[in-house]
Amino acid sequence: MSKNRSWGGRFAEGTHAATAAYTQSQSFDRTLYRQDILASGAHAAMLGRQGIITPDEARAIIEGLEHVREEIASGTFDWKPEHEDVHMNIEARLTELLGDAGKKLHTGRSRNDQVGLTFRLYVADSVRRWQDNAVALCAVLTKRAVQHKLDILPGCTHLQPAQPVSLAQHLLAYAWMFRRDTERLDDALKRVRVSPLGAAALAGATYPLDPHGVALEVGFNVVYGNSMDAVSDRDFVLETLFCAATFMMHLSRLCEEIIFWANPVFGFVRLPDGYSTGSSIMPQKKNPDVAELMRGKTGRVYGALTAMLTVMKGLPLAYNRDMQEDKEAFFDADATVEPSLRIMAGMLDELEFRTDRMREACKRGFLNATELADYLTSKGLPFREAHHAAGLAVAEAERLGKGLEDMSLAELQEIEPYIDEDVHAALDYAVAVRRRETPGGTGPRSVERQLEQLDQWISDRN
Ligand code: ARG
């Protein structure tokens, strides 16, 4: 058993080794060292400005922190499990270097507000990285869409053939999702980038602190409104994890499509070699493991969100140690989301679209039945009757074992005398796509407008 020097004053005996191992977080929260040092430097500078410590002490602390930062970055820092977490390891080393001045850093501060600011800085950095990767992914999607403005494939509802769409339209649907995900994070950042420093343990402090000055110095411009809320709020983690979960959900849907598009029954894509694997027994196999794993890893991120919702739900005010669980949950989500976005961009960039197979597939499933109904409406038939007549034509075509476009004029007129010789032009699949020019529709002018909007957004973000 050993006694903790940071808080061991009132303890007669030390902690059990098992307790220390159970409660420590330095093994994983050391990754927060840059943010902890940034926050501590800002705190020390503020203490100096406010006359709580001398300017010389503030300067010494800031220089000492910089020294510690270099030790950690270069791998020479000696992490000590007995110092529990990243915060106490850094402070202990600072004190070792500076003596009494180091001991003054923690004036007017608690680890409760300290960890809050440190972690908020870390989460904000992660969010920026996710956003950069998401914008890069959108750029790949728009690039591929430009290459496939005129290629068509069956658009589905209920995973059943519905109406033909352009491949560009299909790809851009995902670009819009990832754009929303990115913007959702902009909104979350407004609440992540709030400094709790000054709340101290829970009730505020007796020193003349300047929380706003600290916030500005670390790059935030908002401070907490209530000290108890400040040290016990983990909404910022929950909200960010929700955004991460939504990213993964969208990625997972795209993975699912890539997986069945790669199945030879569809044969809509050929997987790039660099993004697929083989089988140890079946020589013909080329498996979409990357897409499958990404779909699977979505579960981890949902797990992190669920874990933190559960951790928080019963906690009384204010800080509770349970909240230390936010670190590993977030780190795991972070280590999943960022590479997933990056690898999806790489895979999409190299994915080969088999547009011949896509076009061919449009002929199966009567994707031009709506065209026939619209055609009859244009000839003066009320839409409901037109719909019914087109349904009869589908049944007849099915019986004859061919597509609507392969039926002769006579066969079609047999079903509905309103049909003229211009009907075959209306049944053309590519024409069906070209005519859908309502805003956001699959028509080429609409796709062009979407591309302009997305390209503008991408360049604004870069
Ligand atoms: N490692 C702790 C955490 O991540 C730091 C705060 C500890 N505060 C305390 N009073 N025990 O939450």
Side-chain angles (χ1 to χ4, degrees):
M1 293 203 263
S2 66
K3 273 182 69 172
N4 186 300
R5 292 219 291 122
S6 305
W7 45 248
R10 62 102 71 209
F11 287 74
E13 287 175 33
T15 28
H16 286 297
T19 302
Y22 194 75
T23 56
Q24 69 85 32
S25 56
Q26 58 82 29
S27 60
F28 53 85
D29 69 11
R30 57 178 71 173
T31 186
L32 305 174
Y33 78 90
R34 280 187 214 85
Q35 290 78 8
D36 185 66
I37 287 174
L38 173 65
S40 285
H43 181 68
M46 179 277 293
L47 292 176
R49 278 198 309 277
Q50 300 295 102
I52 302 167
I53 60 176
T54 68
D56 281 349
E57 287 166 336
R59 209 168 310 115
I61 292 172
I62 292 164
E63 281 169 20
L65 285 168
E66 184 52 30
H67 185 89
V68 174
R69 202 184 61 73
E70 278 160 22
E71 283 183 355
I72 299 176
S74 65
T76 57
F77 188 89
D78 188 12
W79 292 96
K80 300 206 169 113
E82 63 270 27
H83 292 316
E84 266 186 42
D85 58 21
V86 60
H87 318 292
M88 297 212 290
N89 264 277
I90 290 174
E91 193 188 315
R93 176 67 182 135
L94 188 74
T95 303
E96 218 171 79
L97 290 167
L98 304 184
D100 282 350
K103 292 183 192 158
K104 293 193 178 182
L105 168 61
H106 213 51
T107 313
R109 183 175 80 164
S110 152
R111 265 189 302 155
N112 300 348
D113 55 347
Q114 181 183 2
V115 70
L117 178 55
T118 301
F119 200 39
R120 283 167 180 273
L121 287 166
Y122 187 89
V123 170
D125 289 345
S126 300
V127 165
R128 294 274 192 240
R129 278 187 281 106
W130 301 352
Q131 289 182 310
D132 290 347
N133 281 290
V135 173
L137 172 56
C138 288
V140 172
L141 283 161
T142 55
K143 176 181 134 189
R144 298 309 312 262
V146 168
Q147 296 163 344
H148 296 288
K149 278 196 268 197
L150 299 176
D151 292 313
I152 62 170
L153 78 159
C156 291
T157 61
H158 314 266
L159 196 52
Q160 305 301 313
Q163 291 172 343
V165 293
S166 75
L167 178 53
Q169 173 78 351
H170 197 118
L171 294 171
L172 292 183
Y174 285 100
W176 286 105
M177 293 178 221
F178 296 126
R179 171 178 167 161
R180 278 200 304 283
D181 292 342
T182 307
E183 292 174 336
R184 189 173 291 112
L185 283 168
D186 286 338
D187 199 64
L189 274 177
K190 290 183 210 155
R191 288 168 294 276
V192 173
R193 302 178 76 248
V194 173
S195 176
L197 210 74
L202 77 164
T206 54
Y207 303 92
L209 303 176
D210 171 22
H212 199 244
V214 174
L216 289 180
E217 191 155 339
V218 298
F220 289 177
N221 49 24
V222 184
V223 295
Y224 63 96
N226 174 295
S227 62
M228 294 179 83
D229 178 35
V231 290
S232 64
D233 164 27
R234 289 296 178 274
D235 313 2
F236 75 93
V237 184
L238 291 173
E239 202 173 345
T240 307
L241 286 174
F242 171 77
C243 294
T246 309
F247 255 131
M248 292 305 296
M249 177 273 292
H250 285 148
L251 285 168
S252 185
R253 294 181 68 181
L254 180 51
C255 289
E256 175 72 10
E257 298 209 288
I258 290 171
I259 292 164
F260 65 72
W261 282 4
N263 181 304
V265 172
F266 276 82
F268 286 2
V269 294
R270 245 190 231 108
L271 294 169
D273 284 355
Y275 292 90
S276 40
T277 57
S279 157
S280 55
I281 176 167
M282 297 167 283
Q284 86 283 13
K285 291 282 258 182
K286 192 168 178 189
N287 293 327
D289 294 43
V290 171
E292 291 168 78
L293 264 172
M294 201 175 292
R295 188 177 57 182
K297 283 173 187 291
T298 303
R300 301 170 77 108
V301 180
Y302 289 8
L305 173 60
T306 309
M308 278 316 293
L309 282 166
T310 312
V311 164
M312 294 306 294
K313 82 183 223 341
L315 300 188
L317 288 177
Y319 177 84
N320 298 272
R321 191 63 176 270
D322 316 45
M323 283 147 62
Q324 180 169 289
E325 288 294 305
D326 61 359
K327 310 296 178 313
E328 286 162 295
F330 185 82
F331 295 155
D332 192 67
D334 192 15
T336 307
V337 172
E338 195 190 333
S340 298
L341 289 166
R342 205 169 329 110
I343 208 156
M344 177 56 87
M347 181 161 64
L348 277 179
D349 198 37
E350 290 182 31
L351 198 63
E352 185 188 330
F353 293 107
R354 301 200 50 198
T355 53
D356 52 333
R357 297 272 311 192
M358 292 180 175
R359 199 175 329 109
E360 202 50 38
C362 288
K363 296 202 184 127
R364 297 186 295 270
F366 305 102
L367 285 117
N368 49 3
T370 311
E371 302 321 298
L372 182 57
D374 286 346
Y375 168 84
L376 287 169
T377 309
S378 77
K379 295 284 174 193
L381 221 58
F383 182 75
R384 273 294 149 226
E385 280 175 40
H387 182 282
H388 185 73
L392 293 175
V394 167
E396 181 60 5
E398 202 163 34
R399 197 184 64 77
L400 297 169
K402 54 187 175 189
L404 289 173
E405 68 280 11
D406 302 318
M407 289 175 76
S408 68
L409 183 59
E411 284 169 335
L412 287 164
Q413 282 175 331
E414 183 92 358
I415 294 158
E416 178 46 68
Y418 269 82
I419 293 176
D420 267 335
E421 58 248 15
D422 56 353
V423 69
H424 285 101
L427 292 177
D428 188 286
Y429 298 102
V431 170
V433 172
R434 259 188 267 136
R435 292 181 59 217
R436 285 192 161 62
E437 290 289 15
T438 41
T442 189
R445 281 199 303 281
S446 159
V447 165
E448 202 55 61
R449 271 195 306 274
Q450 293 180 54
L451 279 166
E452 276 164 27
Q453 289 165 356
L454 288 163
D455 285 343
Q456 184 61 53
W457 178 75
I458 290 165
S459 72
D460 286 350
R461 295 212 64 118
N462 280 323

